[in-house]
Amino acid sequence: MSAARPHAPLALVEDVAARIREQIVGGHLRPGAHLSEQALSKALQVSRNSLREVFRQLAAEGLVRHELNRGVFVATPDLSAIIDIYKIRRLIEIPAVSRAYPNHPAIERMEAALALAQSCREKGDWIGVGSADIAFHAAIVALADSSRLSAFFAKIAFELRLVFGIVQTPEHFHAPFIEQNGRIAALLRGGDMPAAAKALEEYLDQAERMVRGAYDRLHPADQAKTVP
C-alpha cells in the first residue's frame, strides 16, 4: 500500500491562497485566465502538491474552476451569479445607507476610497479605479456596524472583481460611477440618508445593466435565457 500523500501546512496553503486572491481582486488575473501549475509553483516557491491544495480551496470559494485535461482557470461568473450578486448587494448596501447616521466613521473611508479612485482615473489606472470602487462599497457596508456583514461582503468582493473582469472596456464601465459614488458620499455627509439610498439604488441598477450587457455580448447564445 502506498503512503498517503502528506498535506501542505495549513498556514502555507492560506498564505498562497491569499496571494492568488489578491491577484484576482486586484484585477491582475482576469476571468478565464489559465493558472499554470508549473509557472505558479515556481513563481510562488511552493510545491505542486501544495498548489493543488490551494486550488481546491479556491475552487470551493468559487474563484477558480478545474477543467479535466485542461487545467485550472480563474472562474467566469455566469448570468445567474451576476444577478444574485447584485440582489445581495441591494439587500445589504441600501439598508446600510438608509439607516446610517451622519458623521459615521465609515463615511471617511468612503471619501478616502473616492479620492483614490479619482487619483487612479488621472493616471489611467482603471483596474485601480475598480479596486477603489470595491473599497468604497465595503465602507458602505461598514455603515451597518456589523462585523459579520462586512466579512460576508469581503467574500462577495472576490466575486465582484470577477464580475468586473467581464467588462472589456473598464474605462467605459467605471468612469460614470466615480461621480455617482461622490454624490452618495456627499448626501451621507449632509445627513440626507433617503436621497443617498435612492442614489445607491440607481447606481446598482445601472451597474447591473452594464454588466449584463457585457455578459450578453460575450455569450449571445444565453440572451434568450436572461432572467428579468
Side-chain angles (χ1 to χ4, degrees):
M1 180 181 295
S2 60
R5 177 173 55 83
H7 288 281
L10 182 59
L12 174 63
V13 171
E14 290 289 349
D15 177 66
V16 175
R19 291 162 71 183
I20 295 176
R21 280 193 211 98
E22 184 178 346
Q23 291 292 304
I24 293 173
V25 173
H28 303 292
L29 289 173
R30 295 178 62 85
H34 178 235
L35 301 180
S36 167
E37 191 176 283
Q38 181 177 359
L40 278 175
S41 177
K42 182 177 180 180
L44 299 174
Q45 296 293 295
V46 294
S47 71
R48 296 176 80 163
N49 281 339
S50 297
L51 192 57
R52 286 168 192 151
E53 291 193 39
V54 170
F55 285 159
R56 279 192 286 273
Q57 178 170 319
L58 294 175
E61 296 171 9
L63 296 180
V64 305
R65 69 179 189 277
H66 181 267
E67 296 186 10
L68 188 63
N69 299 324
R70 293 194 64 214
V72 177
F73 298 81
V74 177
T76 301
D78 60 18
L79 186 58
S80 63
I82 292 168
I83 293 169
D84 197 39
I85 286 168
Y86 279 93
K87 183 184 297 183
I88 290 169
R89 292 189 67 186
R90 290 183 182 92
L91 288 171
I92 295 175
E93 294 186 52
I94 294 174
V97 165
S98 63
R99 298 169 188 169
Y101 61 84
N103 300 319
H104 190 290
I107 297 175
E108 290 187 8
R109 287 175 51 191
M110 293 167 64
E111 292 167 340
L114 179 62
L116 177 59
Q118 292 166 337
S119 175
C120 288
R121 176 179 59 186
E122 292 172 4
K123 300 172 186 175
D125 177 9
W126 293 101
I127 290 178
V129 171
S131 297
D133 181 71
I134 291 173
F136 181 93
H137 289 271
I140 283 180
V141 176
L143 292 168
D145 291 318
S146 168
S147 59
R148 289 180 175 84
L149 271 183
S150 290
F152 179 68
F153 186 82
K155 295 179 181 179
I156 295 297
F158 296 135
E159 294 184 83
L160 192 56
R161 172 53 81 178
L162 296 178
V163 167
F164 287 173
I166 293 173
V167 180
Q168 299 298 303
T169 53
E171 177 177 357
H172 172 71
F173 177 70
H174 290 298
F177 298 122
I178 297 175
E179 302 307 322
Q180 290 188 39
N181 280 344
R183 180 166 176 256
I184 293 166
L187 289 167
L188 280 169
R189 178 62 74 188
D192 193 345
M193 291 12 183
K198 179 64 176 175
L200 175 59
E201 183 178 12
E202 292 170 354
Y203 168 107
L204 292 171
D205 288 347
Q206 181 180 348
E208 183 179 2
R209 283 195 302 271
M210 293 178 72
V211 171
R212 288 173 64 165
Y215 180 90
D216 286 345
R217 286 188 289 275
L218 290 174
H219 306 276
D222 289 349
Q223 290 189 37
K225 306 175 186 176
T226 300
V227 179

